[in-house]
Amino acid sequence: MKSVSVAIVGFGKIAQDQHVSALNDNAAFTLDAVASRNASLEGVAHFRDIQTLLDERPDIQAISLCAPPQVRYRQARAAIAAGKHVMLEKPPGATLSEVEDLRAQAERAGVTLFATWHSRCAAGVAQAREWLSARRVTSVNVQWKEDVRRWHPGQEWIWEAGGLGVFDPGINALSIITAILPEPFFLTQGELEVPVNRQGPIAATLAFRDVHDADIRAEFDWRQTGSQTWDIHIETDAGPLSLTQGGSRLTIGDEVVLEGGDAEYPGLYARFAELIANGESDVDVTPLRHVADAFLLGQRVSVEAFNE
């Protein structure tokens, strides 16, 4: 089958570090263009913005949208109107309403829309979901702590409205637990720590309950230095399960049953190719809905100013 011609729109750190290699390693796609105000890729056509790309390269069939969420709705809308398949980096938009409208537009246009959650493609996630499906969860403890200076150097958009603050990484943990837990769960209380010079939180502590009253707690923090922590520990009626190292290491009981490499972005592009081939879309906003609930229900606490 002929490969799909794809362009990356928004060429920041994640696009450069993850998307390019995943595309180059997938025979279903050919990376033919980049649209970005600030960066380009040697040997690939470059455009300053998405509209110029769409006007000058009608042969492009798909857009991988990696721009900040605050501008993503208009870009995705333009791409869909031009008949392009669209893959959205996480989070899929600044608001739930935007993403729902994009879903409707894609359906009317007959194109694929894929709202991605890369952490769901981590090596241990699928097996964890399968094992938990036959168990009763009694408690969950999520520790997702990293250094914002290391992962988002100089990226002011993450602190602004719609940028999510610490939920930018925290939503990765939420994307995993919404995928693996056998029952839906709901926020009961939360605390968001917001630096006095920022709009977005730098840390958050959340408490959830599922339909069986299991205690689910999550701690997100962007101030951690040294080793980074991306761990999920789950107690069940059949013993404990842990997903650590961002979901790439699965432990059941005392046994490490799987320890895989970095499969996240290759997994996303494999799924995108499948959706395009089948004429389908995949738009799950559940992780973003939990973040919206946290902003709605969580208590905001001011903390000292933060500067990189």
Side-chain angles (χ1 to χ4, degrees):
M1 188 175 77
K2 186 177 180 181
S3 63
V4 174
S5 177
V6 63
I8 295 176
V9 175
F11 202 56
K13 180 176 174 57
I14 292 298
Q16 295 172 32
D17 293 351
Q18 299 287 350
H19 287 259
V20 171
S21 59
L23 278 167
N24 287 339
D25 290 342
N26 190 320
F29 295 101
T30 302
L31 177 56
D32 284 330
V34 166
S36 172
R37 291 178 299 174
N38 303 311
S40 60
L41 180 63
E42 186 177 356
V44 174
H46 176 259
F47 301 89
R48 181 169 176 79
D49 55 62
I50 188 171
Q51 195 56 58
T52 305
L53 165 69
L54 295 172
D55 290 342
E56 297 187 13
R57 288 295 303 270
D59 58 306
I60 296 293
Q61 298 167 282
I63 301 294
S64 181
L65 197 45
C66 303
Q70 294 96 328
V71 300
R72 199 170 293 160
Y73 172 75
R74 289 185 178 277
Q75 293 178 337
R77 183 173 179 173
I80 291 169
K84 312 304 180 186
H85 306 295
V86 176
M87 185 168 111
L88 302 170
E89 246 292 1
K90 65 86 188 170
T95 69
L96 290 164
S97 298
E98 288 182 351
V99 183
E100 293 294 348
D101 186 60
L102 291 176
R103 185 210 304 264
Q105 290 182 41
E107 184 176 357
R108 288 194 297 268
V111 298
T112 290
L113 180 65
F114 181 25
T116 68
W117 303 105
H118 63 80
S119 290
R120 287 181 174 177
C121 293
V125 170
Q127 190 169 338
R129 178 172 58 247
E130 181 181 0
W131 190 85
L132 289 169
S133 67
R135 274 81 182 180
R136 173 80 171 265
V137 171
T138 56
S139 68
V140 180
N141 182 273
V142 178
Q143 300 289 319
W144 217 261
K145 302 178 179 181
E146 61 184 51
D147 186 353
V148 65
R149 302 174 188 87
R150 175 176 172 184
W151 301 102
H152 293 279
Q155 296 180 15
E156 290 298 317
W157 64 265
I158 56 174
W159 297 106
E160 298 168 357
L164 302 190
V166 75
F167 288 106
D168 179 80
I171 205 170
N172 294 331
L174 293 172
S175 74
I176 292 176
I177 61 175
T178 53
I180 66 175
L181 295 183
E183 300 289 351
F185 55 90
F186 313 95
L187 186 71
T188 57
Q189 62 182 3
E191 181 179 279
L192 313 183
E193 298 182 39
V194 183
V196 294
N197 61 334
R198 302 291 187 177
Q199 294 186 62
I202 197 169
T205 303
L206 305 178
F208 304 87
R209 293 279 175 176
D210 75 1
V211 295
H212 298 300
D213 213 31
D215 183 31
I216 301 169
R217 298 184 179 271
E219 295 182 21
F220 306 143
D221 202 320
W222 247 351
R223 298 167 295 197
Q224 179 151 305
T225 57
S227 297
Q228 309 289 277
T229 302
W230 303 300
D231 297 341
I232 299 170
H233 303 288
I234 301 173
E235 294 291 336
T236 78
D237 58 358
L241 176 148
S242 293
L243 276 172
T244 55
Q245 299 176 11
S248 65
R249 190 173 196 259
L250 173 63
T251 304
I252 298 176
D254 296 326
E255 180 185 0
V256 177
V257 297
L258 187 150
E259 192 160 12
D262 185 0
E264 296 182 11
Y265 283 87
L268 290 184
Y269 279 102
R271 176 62 173 156
F272 192 31
E274 178 185 40
L275 291 169
I276 292 172
N278 293 334
E280 299 172 347
S281 289
D282 183 351
V283 186
D284 177 14
V285 297
T286 309
L288 184 58
R289 182 172 288 113
H290 282 298
V291 173
D293 287 350
F295 278 103
L296 181 66
L297 188 61
Q299 178 185 4
R300 297 174 69 92
V301 177
S302 295
V303 295
E304 65 181 14
F306 177 83
N307 297 292
E308 292 191 38

